[in-house]
Amino acid sequence: MDRRSALKLLSISAASAGIIGAERLVRHHPKAPEPPAVALNQAGYLPQNRKIATVPAQLAASPFGLRDETTGQTVFRGTVGSPVRDQCSGDRVAAADFSPFQQPGRYRLATASGESGPFVIGADAYREPLRLAMRAYYGQRCGCAVDLGGGYRHPACHSDGAFHPTSGRSGVVANHGGWHDAGDYGRYVVNSGITVGTLLWAWELYPQALRGINLGIPESGGKLPDYLAEVRWNLEWMLSMQDADGGVWHKQTSEKFCRFVMPQDDRMTSYIVGIGSPPYKSTCATADLAAVAAIAARCYGEYDADFAQRCLAASRGAWAWAVAHPDVMFLNPPGIATGPYEDRDGRDEILWASGELWRTTGEPAYRDAFLSESKALPVATYVWTPSWPSVAALGYWTVAMSGRPGSDAVRDQVVARTAQDTEFLLARARASGYGQTLAPPDYIWGSNGMAANQSLLLMVSDHFQPNAEACEAALNNLHYILGRNCFGVSWVTQVGYNPFQHPHHRPSAADGIAAPWPGLMSGGPNASNLVDAVEPQPPMRMWVDQQYAYWMNEVAINWNAPLVFLLAGANAGALSTS
Ligand code: G3I
Ligand code: 9MR
Ligand code: ZN
């Protein structure tokens, strides 16, 4: 069989598996394996942290320099290190280390065969990226007129809401806001859960970086700091998904994904979707709401005691429902084809909810529940990179951070395990030519989110036990996301000199503006969803900057959240090591 018909065959099997239309596969495949001339963090570096660019292996032992963008003068000279083969990309690369240079300014890195675009060294290098990554949530708002400036705007959308018959109810529902999940316009409680949880954790751990942030949102200047006001927009929608019995419906979406239109032009009804039979709500959605509403009760109390109380009451009710219905798993019911966020195990969500409620209230009922639930979810297996279906680590970490009486034994185990996780990740970073902590099997749907969540793990670890190398590795993943990767691309829209351009994001495609909406992180390389069969390449290379490639190049609220967390830590000075 020749190559063309082989590709056609593979593409047809991928298409029948529902991954992608056949004709497109033949047209696009990942770029040929060749490292970029210079791969570095295009947003730049904090003065006191390590600064390492990746260059092709042929440059090993050759000189490189840092040129001042304004004066043209070479301000630092170094020698490229020895060649290494990077396992995730297959690239042969070497390192250009300019860590000793700490002078704030704007520079380019020049080698014997190429140079980077301009980047910054400065304490404020990540200030604007943080603002953009957080402001992107405003851009995702549903049911509200949005205007980010620069033409990135839309009027209120999805005002047609109704209960789907699978919810056990009928009738219309008002639009209670929330964020569009991703490149689609669905709203999903499970994904909202880890997103809001991560964002509120960032608030608790790095308030100095977030309190004063100006997001230019309708609530700016009100009683809440902008950051909390933006998160509240989604919390209000999550709270609206709670039924009177405490249970929470899984999602609110149309019956199928709409075409690539602006949100106001998607006229399909936004249904509250349930599981189709009693008890209609789902365990994971309910427990996730319980967890994040308990965190919200801690974060909002100082600004709005009533809202904090409302969150705590919702959390208690949701927790009781989840504990009483621990096995109600959601699957898309017939007639519904939007994102499933199907999870086969609700125990970790319940553990997280119990942990957050214990931390918030100190009440013995939540402590006892947590301690008994934790028996089935051993720390040694469950304390690892969090993701939307796996939130046990969040439960363990929150208890370890709580200082609550009775939590010491858990804390000791969790701290020790997190330190071991850290050693695994550090070993990967040391061996990688691009410095990131992802291993080949981590290149699944949303690998960039995984990279950012591995940074979150490293940052929590450093919070427990100060660890300079963990801080540098956490930043390494930021460098990777913002340009130190095998494509030399920044995976955050409008950040850096070579940001990706074609996210699977309906507003970016439908607004008639060339550049995509700002501050959105690509899902990143995905070597595990079938299409890799088309053009076998090492996992880091399984990415294309194409709008259709939703399994590699969509954006999503749960991936931006650990990016915000990472940037918040960096801006708070929590990752500076000298
Ligand atoms: O559970 C397996 C795991 O055991 C295995 O190791 C791993 C590697 O193959 O795969 C895991 O399953 C994956 C699952 O995500 C959990 O990570 C599936 O292969 C993968 O297909 C699934 O992808 C999800 C995708 O929806 C399809 O359902 C993504 O995580 C999820 O982020 C994505 O979310 C979509 C929403 O449905 C709709 N809105 C956009 C959003 C982002 O693309
Ligand atoms: O656009 C949809 C995206 O938001 C989802 O993450 C993705 C996976 O559920 O599905 C996308 O919609 C595609 C559909 O699943 C299959 N046909 C092509 C659609 C994209 O144009
Ligand atoms: Zn909407």
Side-chain angles (χ1 to χ4, degrees), residues 43-360:
Y45 295 86
L46 300 173
Q48 299 90 342
N49 286 96
R50 298 190 70 189
K51 309 168 196 75
I52 305 176
T54 297
V55 300
Q58 305 86 279
L59 292 171
S62 71
F64 74 91
L66 215 52
R67 276 201 302 110
D68 187 301
E69 179 71 352
T70 346
T71 66
Q73 279 179 354
T74 299
V75 293
F76 178 86
R77 288 173 212 278
T79 306
V80 175
S82 22
V84 295
R85 187 182 167 280
D86 176 68
Q87 197 195 4
C88 291
S89 62
D91 290 355
R92 285 180 45 78
V93 295
D97 188 342
F98 53 105
S99 302
F101 187 76
Q102 302 198 347
Q103 189 62 41
R106 232 170 119 74
Y107 308 95
R108 288 175 193 253
L109 192 146
T111 70
S113 61
E115 71 171 20
S116 73
F119 63 93
V120 159
I121 293 178
D124 58 356
Y126 306 136
R127 201 163 293 161
E128 189 58 8
L130 170 62
R131 206 182 68 90
L132 290 179
M134 188 58 207
R135 198 153 184 258
Y137 288 95
Y138 171 39
Q140 293 295 103
R141 281 194 194 190
C142 185
C144 163
V146 164
D147 191 351
L148 296 179
Y152 300 106
R153 60 168 179 263
H154 68 73
C157 51
H158 301 110
S159 54
D160 260 351
F163 282 106
H164 192 262
T166 54
S167 69
R169 293 280 194 88
S170 59
V172 300
V173 284
N175 188 323
H176 288 277
W179 295 318
H180 298 139
D181 184 55
D184 65 325
Y185 297 135
R187 288 167 283 168
Y188 308 84
V189 173
V190 165
N191 206 41
S192 276
I194 188 164
T195 303
V196 166
T198 304
L199 293 173
L200 291 181
W201 273 33
W203 175 264
E204 291 193 297
L205 281 165
Y206 310 115
Q208 61 279 42
L210 299 173
R211 247 191 231 115
I213 204 170
N214 179 359
L215 297 175
I217 54 179
E219 296 80 4
S220 292
K223 66 177 172 183
L224 288 178
D226 284 12
Y227 186 89
L228 288 184
E230 189 51 52
V231 175
R232 180 174 177 164
W233 183 262
N234 200 56
L235 270 166
E236 290 286 1
W237 169 75
M238 293 182 77
L239 293 168
S240 82
M241 293 292 283
Q242 186 171 34
D243 198 359
D245 65 358
V248 178
W249 286 287
H250 200 76
K251 64 176 178 178
Q252 184 171 8
T253 73
S254 45
E255 290 171 306
K256 54 181 183 161
F257 292 118
C258 70
R259 306 184 70 82
F260 268 59
V261 296
M262 291 301 285
Q264 71 275 16
D265 298 327
D266 170 20
R267 300 289 180 179
M268 285 188 283
T269 301
S270 225
Y271 286 109
I272 292 184
V273 180
I275 65 162
S277 55
Y280 300 108
K281 283 77 65 179
S282 75
T283 305
C284 293
T286 305
D288 276 343
L289 174 83
V292 304
I295 312 174
R298 300 196 296 267
C299 297
Y300 289 83
E302 149 183 18
Y303 305 97
D304 185 339
D306 291 346
F307 180 63
Q309 276 313 311
R310 186 149 70 87
C311 287
L312 185 56
S315 172
R316 290 178 186 281
W319 181 84
W321 193 98
V323 166
H325 305 87
D327 291 313
V328 192
M329 296 302 127
F330 181 88
L331 288 174
N332 260 344
I336 299 287
T338 48
Y341 286 113
E342 81 279 43
D343 183 345
R344 284 160 304 212
D345 188 349
R347 294 173 305 171
D348 52 316
E349 282 77 8
I350 295 178
L351 183 83
W352 184 27
S354 300
E356 295 292 3
L357 273 164
W358 180 14
R359 182 173 175 190
T360 302

Side-chain angles (χ1 to χ4, degrees), residues 39 174 292 315 319 337 398 454 469 549 575:
V292 304
S315 172
W319 181 84
T398 209
Q454 289 180 353
E469 197 183 354
L575 301 176

